[in-house]
Amino acid sequence: MLTVNKLIAQGRGLAPALLKRAASVSLDWDLRQKSRFEATDSQGRRLGVFLSRGTVVRGGDVLVAEDGSLVRVQAAPQPVLVVRHCTEHGAPSDLMRAAYHLGNRHVAVELKPDHLKLEPDHVLADLLRRMHLIVTEESAAFEPESGAYGEAGSGHAHGHAAHDHGHAHHAHGHAQPHGHDHDHDHDHDHGHDHGHDHGHGHDHDHDHDHDHDHDHVHVHGHHHGHRPDPGHDASGPGGHAHGPGGHDHRHKK
């Protein structure tokens, strides 16, 4: 028995002339969905296939034997149900509905633009016919969908660049009418009156612990009374309540 432990998906990278000279093996879906099986190739050699667990073999794949020889895989014809929409009583979208219901039942389905294929099942056949679909029994190669997560180790999973849909987190500063951002982190008792005349927005970042009992006035050339905004209540321990906007920012000490 010749051991096979490598698979080249769809023979990628191999010269056509090399593939043409290679032996072939015809396998139905029951065998191709297994990672360990035995088969006989077109040259009469007995093959012992040992692939990575979870590997699914597809028609067109190439097996590599331990002696370096190549074996082309052909999807063998097998009994299948072929499902088509009824042109007289239905619409092509009926196939989509059928695929949905079959998927809910975890049925292996091959999807084509104008038909579906599945393994014979008289219960499912009756269900599909009740949906006004045409179901026929045929012999054909069966290549069902591999699922959303691809096939482990087979090389059929499409190598899309990993998309990281990481949503950037934006700190949304809520603009206040007088252009100040207050970040208070202090414990003090003020008995003073600040009359700030500013022509520009700036940040006050207080981090101190003191007692004040004085009045002072800062003049920067522009008169801008630091009066409470109608929608801005800075009272309360470390909390700004913005009126109409309904925002409540609690600054931790």
Side-chain angles (χ1 to χ4, degrees):
M1 181 179 289
L2 189 61
T3 300
V4 175
N5 52 24
K6 184 177 179 182
L7 178 147
I8 301 175
Q10 302 301 295
R12 291 191 187 97
L14 299 176
L18 191 61
L19 291 174
K20 189 175 181 180
R21 294 196 300 267
S24 63
V25 62
S26 184
L27 306 171
D28 63 14
W29 174 244
D30 184 57
L31 275 181
R32 287 185 289 109
Q33 63 180 312
K34 298 175 181 177
S35 56
R36 286 163 171 73
F37 57 87
E38 294 182 5
T40 302
D41 70 9
S42 59
Q43 296 178 359
R45 298 180 300 176
R46 192 68 180 161
L47 306 176
V49 180
F50 300 91
L51 301 173
S52 301
R53 292 194 180 278
T55 299
V56 173
V57 182
R58 297 289 187 175
D61 287 348
V62 176
L63 300 173
V64 183
E66 59 184 346
D67 63 356
S69 60
L70 305 177
V71 182
R72 290 181 293 109
V73 177
Q74 297 173 340
Q78 64 182 77
V80 292
L81 296 179
V82 180
V83 185
R84 299 178 177 88
H85 81 277
C86 177
T87 56
E88 186 176 350
H89 302 101
S93 59
D94 292 340
L95 288 177
M96 298 171 60
R97 188 161 56 97
Y100 171 80
H101 287 290
L102 292 171
N104 276 346
R105 290 166 172 78
H106 304 287
V107 176
V109 179
E110 180 177 347
L111 306 176
K112 295 295 183 181
D114 60 347
H115 69 273
L116 307 176
K117 287 182 193 173
L118 61 149
E119 292 179 299
D121 186 311
H122 70 277
V123 174
L124 293 176
D126 290 341
L127 169 69
L128 294 167
R129 290 187 178 107
R130 288 198 300 271
M131 295 169 64
H132 304 293
L133 291 161
I134 299 173
V135 182
T136 57
E137 297 182 10
E138 301 181 18
S139 179
F142 185 47
E143 295 282 11
E145 288 294 302
S146 58
Y149 298 100
E151 297 161 0
S154 68
H156 292 288
H158 300 284
H160 298 294
H163 301 291
D164 182 9
H165 300 283
H167 302 285
H169 296 283
H170 303 286
H172 298 284
H174 298 281
Q176 302 169 17
H178 49 60
H180 300 312
D181 287 332
H182 296 280
D183 186 5
H184 299 289
D185 188 8
H186 51 269
D187 181 11
H188 53 236
D189 182 7
H190 283 235
H192 55 274
D193 180 19
H194 293 282
H196 298 290
D197 289 330
H198 302 290
H200 51 273
H202 54 275
D203 296 341
H204 295 284
D205 190 351
H206 303 286
D207 189 1
H208 48 270
D209 186 352
H210 52 236
D211 268 72
H212 285 252
D213 191 14
H214 55 273
D215 296 332
H216 52 276
V217 176
H218 301 289
V219 179
H220 295 286
H222 305 284
H223 185 70
H224 176 70
H226 188 67
R227 292 194 293 266
D229 194 60
H232 187 140
D233 180 8
S235 62
H240 295 293
H242 296 271
H247 302 291
D248 185 15
H249 299 281
R250 297 295 174 186
H251 302 284
K252 294 182 179 179
K253 295 183 179 181

